[in-house]
Amino acid sequence: MTAPGEAARRKPARRPTIKDIARRAGVSESAVSFALNDRPGVSEDTRARIRKVADELGWQANSAARALSGERAGCLGLVLARPARTLGVESFFLQLVSGIQEVFSARRTALLFQVVEDLDTECALYRRWWAERRVDGVLVVDPRTDDPRPALLTALGLPAVAIGGPAPDAAEPSAAPLLTTVWADDAAAMARILDHLHGLGHRRIVHIAGLPGLAHTARRIHSLRTEAARRGLDARQVRSITTDYSDAEGAEATRRLLDAAEPPTALIYDNDVMAIAGASVAAGRGIPVPGRLSIVAWDDSPLCRVAHPPLTALVRDTAGFGRLAAGELLALLDGGPARTTEGELPHLEPRESTGPSPA
């Protein structure tokens, strides 16, 4: 009978070694090494028997040994340098990762995911992963307006795909990208939103944006200014403010805007969580949506669809965007060139949270 607490004191099971495989298969350790590394020196029957035993024992190649032999790690990395508190409530990255994992699983490739505090820590992690041969390549998210990562990854020789990178440079359309990039046309998406709100008569429109310094935040802000100017709208009344994407900052920004002498009649939020928080602030103040305030969420989600009223939102296949990025990284590892690929343009789904501007 097991004494109380004995199970808790047990040591973890020892990882199987080449010696264990050799003993069970009845062969030499060198024969096991030849078989598991696809080297000549053993018959096909012996190779098959050794691999069967290795599978039964749950043997996996040691990462340090793989590094010395030059083999692939069979693992790809994804690092996210964002406040950890903002991740648990935002559906975008869950959908993105689900699409990535779908493609990697089909190739029996693992995904190594890590959240870090800042960009410097992310860059240091890339250096360590490459030195230890922990990953064969990485997916880079949240491209910055002044981003050190493309040059670093290129210098390391670590294959990488930037997700949501900048659009191709119109001034230099033939310039070769440092990294393979998959991008979405945020400028065109913002134009669709402004078309919708302007058509409803809104002239005081504020964009509650995400983190400053992100390339897609800059593109959305620039597009809002450009589209507003094209329609002759007042730049003081059609503008953007930045946040950290959290519901707390989304709610606080909404309060400040609604307290203004001339509050906006329409708000555009850079994610679903902030849009729900903003709608809650409006409800708490007795401001009807859309009677006195119209609300648009950048990314659609179940939250937007079950809210009361349901929120007008940009609809895009985020999981499909993840599948596209994952496929591009695998193509790069298979010897393909660095290139730039555009994802599907999201469409605006008008719902009950947007209506005519109040008189």
Side-chain angles (χ1 to χ4, degrees):
M1 183 174 179
T2 303
E6 182 179 338
R9 294 194 299 271
R10 288 175 179 166
K11 295 181 180 179
R14 184 176 64 85
R15 295 180 61 175
T17 65
I18 286 180
K19 182 180 291 186
D20 298 324
I21 299 170
R23 185 182 301 116
R24 179 174 293 192
V27 298
S28 67
E29 292 178 35
S30 59
V32 173
S33 178
F34 292 153
L36 296 180
N37 290 295
D38 285 325
R39 292 163 57 191
V42 293
S43 69
E44 289 305 313
D45 287 345
T46 301
R47 190 186 307 276
R49 185 170 82 254
I50 289 171
R51 287 182 172 174
K52 183 174 184 294
V53 170
D55 287 341
E56 291 171 351
L57 293 176
W59 181 86
Q60 293 290 330
N62 179 275
S63 60
R66 281 197 306 265
L68 291 173
S69 67
E71 294 181 23
R72 285 189 178 181
C75 183
L76 298 167
L78 173 61
V79 184
L80 190 58
R82 276 199 188 186
R85 68 181 184 279
T86 68
L87 299 181
V89 294
E90 191 174 0
S91 63
F92 174 82
F93 278 106
L94 293 177
Q95 295 177 51
L96 185 75
V97 170
S98 72
I100 291 169
Q101 189 60 38
E102 183 181 339
V103 173
F104 287 173
S105 294
R107 286 276 293 263
R108 302 184 67 182
T109 299
L111 175 65
L112 179 57
F113 177 67
Q114 190 159 339
V115 178
V116 297
E117 289 297 317
D118 53 43
L119 203 59
D120 288 341
T121 308
E122 180 177 345
C123 290
L125 187 60
Y126 290 144
R127 294 186 184 95
R128 179 161 63 83
W129 278 357
W130 187 238
E132 296 174 357
R133 299 298 190 268
R134 294 288 301 279
V135 297
D136 299 315
V138 293
L139 294 164
V140 179
V141 295
D142 288 342
R144 269 54 171 189
T145 50
D146 185 16
D147 201 327
R149 293 173 296 176
L152 168 64
L153 293 167
T154 301
L156 291 174
L158 181 57
V161 171
I163 301 177
D169 191 342
E172 295 184 73
S174 62
L178 284 179
L179 304 182
T180 286
T181 299
V182 295
W183 67 287
D185 195 342
D186 293 292
M190 180 62 82
R192 289 186 171 186
I193 294 174
L194 204 58
D195 273 340
H196 176 65
L197 294 175
H198 185 263
L200 291 170
H202 293 279
R203 300 297 181 266
R204 298 199 301 273
I205 304 168
V206 177
H207 167 217
I208 299 179
L211 290 164
L214 298 185
H216 67 256
T217 300
R219 289 198 300 272
R220 294 174 190 180
I221 290 173
H222 181 265
S223 178
L224 181 73
R225 290 173 180 165
T226 302
E227 295 298 325
R230 190 167 67 83
R231 293 167 175 80
L233 301 179
D234 190 334
R236 294 167 298 179
Q237 296 183 321
V238 180
R239 57 194 177 90
S240 301
I241 58 176
T242 56
T243 68
D244 67 355
Y245 283 111
S246 71
D247 56 333
E249 289 206 8
E252 179 55 32
T254 304
R255 293 187 194 99
R256 293 198 310 269
L257 291 167
L258 296 181
D259 286 340
E262 283 190 310
T265 63
L267 295 174
I268 305 166
Y269 294 87
D270 257 4
N271 69 10
D272 55 341
V273 174
M274 292 198 296
I276 294 291
S280 178
V281 169
R285 296 189 174 201
I287 299 173
V289 174
R292 284 174 51 197
L293 178 68
S294 285
I295 290 177
V296 178
W298 191 272
D299 281 315
D300 190 28
S301 75
L303 282 177
C304 296
R305 297 190 289 274
V306 303
H308 182 72
L311 301 186
T312 294
L314 273 178
V315 178
R316 61 176 168 182
D317 183 4
T318 304
F321 200 50
R323 289 192 294 270
L324 175 63
E328 288 295 319
L329 182 53
L330 292 177
L332 200 61
L333 293 175
D334 289 340
R339 62 180 185 175
T340 298
T341 305
E342 182 178 358
E344 180 184 357
L345 180 66
H347 70 273
L348 188 68
E349 183 72 32
R351 298 193 182 110
E352 296 172 30
S353 69
T354 51
S357 175

